[in-house]
């Protein structure tokens, strides 16, 4: 069977999961972290090489201060609590997104965890944080323009391979499988360049209910797809 080497997930539906239970939204995010831990372990078990999780979009900054603060607090404890799991299983963590908008403490924690896990290669775990794909592309265009202006590269030399080097995801292959939970049929500014030929799988389950058996089902469904890449 065809196993995806890179799975990307839009983890959606924490708020609705909480609302169903008459709980505050933050409790949905807390339950969502349990799914993150479960899915990371499942990816190790299924020998997935790259996992990219959409945790916080540039647009999510529009949410209430309280929710944003709560989300970042949960993320901080996730990094503190899971460092052992990363060491024990060879998980390399990378955060992709606009770090400039994160507060200094969380930024430091991210840098420390990235440094500590930089030598691992069993599972590459990318977490998209303050991430927006259009901003990522614009950022690449700006950097490349500077290189052109300095005469380090000619405009005609810029091809897909070189362009991808300027994205936050440099060094990672494109996702083979894109999963979105909670039934929404949209990409919400996630990896627009990178998902050109990804297989898409949408489940109606809310993210806090998405666990190893659900991932297995998505991988099995992927295994049945015929990827043609336009050929
Ligand atoms: C996904 O759940 C988590 C983030 C976007 C941070 P939501 O918070 O979007 O949950 P819903 O979509 O309101 O149910
Ligand atoms: C996408 O979910 C972003 C993340 C999962 C982090 P949203 O809930 O923000 O997306 P929309 O608003 O439904 O498009
Ligand atoms: Mg949502």
């Amino acid at each position: 069977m065809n196993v995806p080497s890179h799975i990307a997930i839009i983890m959606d539906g924490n708020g609705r999961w909480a609302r169903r239970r008459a709980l505050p939204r933050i409790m949905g995010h807390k339950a969502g972290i349990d799914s993150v831990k479960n899915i990371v372990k499942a990816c190790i078990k299924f020998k997935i090489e790259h996992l990219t999780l959409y945790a916080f979009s540039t647009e999510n900054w529009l949410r209430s201060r309280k929710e944003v603060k709560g989300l970042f607090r949960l993320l901080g404890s996730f990094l503190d609590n899971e460092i052992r799991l990363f060491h024990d299983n060879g998980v390399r963590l990378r955060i992709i997104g606009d770090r400039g908008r994160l507060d200094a403490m969380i930024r430091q924690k991210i840098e420390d965890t990235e440094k500590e896990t930089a030598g691992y290669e069993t599972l590459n775990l990318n977490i998209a944080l303050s991430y927006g794909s259009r901003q990522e592309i614009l950022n690449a265009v700006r950097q490349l323009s500077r290189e052109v202006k300095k005469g380090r590269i000619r405009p005609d030399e810029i091809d897909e391979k070189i362009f991808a080097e300027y994205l936050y995801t440099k060094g990672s292959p494109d996702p083979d499988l894109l999963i979105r939970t909670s039934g929404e049929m949209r990409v919400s500014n996630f990896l627009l360049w990178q998902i050109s030929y990804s297989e898409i799988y949408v489940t109606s389950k809310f993210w806090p209910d998405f666990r190893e058996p659900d991932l297995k089902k998505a991988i099995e469904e992927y295994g049945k797809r015929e990827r043609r890449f336009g050929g």
Side-chain angles (χ1 to χ4, degrees):
M1 203 180 78
N2 247 343
V3 177
S5 134
H6 185 172
I7 298 178
I9 309 182
I10 302 174
M11 310 184 288
D12 197 18
N14 295 352
R16 277 162 281 179
W17 182 92
R19 199 169 60 210
R20 284 269 171 98
R21 288 160 179 76
L23 294 168
R25 291 181 63 83
I26 196 68
M27 294 307 285
H29 296 314
K30 200 157 171 268
I33 295 275
D34 294 335
S35 283
V36 170
K37 292 179 197 164
N38 182 278
I39 294 305
V40 168
K41 286 180 191 152
C43 284
I44 296 164
K45 183 167 160 191
F46 299 153
K47 301 196 159 43
I48 303 299
E49 292 163 274
H50 306 268
L51 173 66
T52 302
L53 299 175
Y54 201 6
F56 193 86
S57 72
T58 43
E59 290 72 27
N60 290 150
W61 287 112
L62 296 169
R63 295 190 181 189
S64 74
R65 243 182 77 91
K66 190 173 154 216
E67 182 171 354
V68 171
K69 249 181 94 180
L71 269 165
F72 280 96
R73 203 175 40 234
L74 284 171
L75 185 91
S77 3
F78 169 78
L79 293 179
D80 288 340
N81 297 334
E82 300 315 308
I83 187 72
R84 199 63 264 149
L85 176 91
F86 298 164
H87 281 303
D88 290 348
N89 293 281
V91 177
R92 176 176 190 171
L93 179 90
R94 280 197 191 96
I95 300 293
I96 58 171
D98 177 8
R99 294 179 190 219
R101 292 183 76 174
L102 307 180
D103 82 46
M105 217 164 76
I106 190 89
R107 214 159 48 207
Q108 190 59 50
K109 210 187 281 283
I110 286 168
E111 279 168 25
D112 294 345
T113 313
E114 285 180 332
K115 238 180 251 155
E116 271 191 63
T117 62
Y120 297 141
E121 45 190 23
T122 304
L123 172 67
N124 288 286
L125 172 62
N126 306 310
I127 299 185
L129 206 61
S130 188
Y131 174 88
S133 186
R134 286 190 168 184
Q135 291 81 351
E136 177 187 35
I137 290 168
L138 279 175
N139 182 51
V141 170
R142 290 194 194 107
Q143 284 189 59
L144 267 164
S145 311
R146 280 183 218 116
E147 297 294 303
V148 168
K149 204 171 163 198
K150 286 181 190 148
R152 291 200 194 126
I153 187 165
R154 283 180 292 106
D156 323 333
E157 270 180 276
I158 303 169
D159 57 11
E160 290 185 15
K161 199 163 162 269
I162 290 175
F163 190 76
E165 288 289 306
Y166 288 82
L167 298 173
Y168 298 133
T169 51
K170 64 170 178 290
S172 292
D174 289 341
D176 300 298
L177 173 62
L178 172 69
I179 298 174
R180 181 163 187 151
T181 57
S182 293
E184 240 68 73
M185 297 289 180
R186 54 177 174 256
V187 289
S188 303
N189 205 10
F190 190 43
L191 304 177
L192 301 179
W193 169 277
Q194 297 88 339
I195 61 171
S196 295
Y197 272 101
S198 304
E199 294 295 323
I200 299 175
Y201 179 90
V202 177
T203 167
S204 59
K205 278 209 178 177
F206 297 136
W207 175 250
D209 292 325
F210 190 89
R211 298 294 161 100
E212 182 182 316
D214 306 293
L215 181 71
K216 189 159 174 262
K217 214 169 123 197
I219 294 173
E220 279 164 5
E221 160 79 27
Y222 171 87
K224 291 186 215 144
R225 303 267 181 99
E226 186 200 346
R227 299 183 78 185
R228 287 192 289 266
F229 300 98

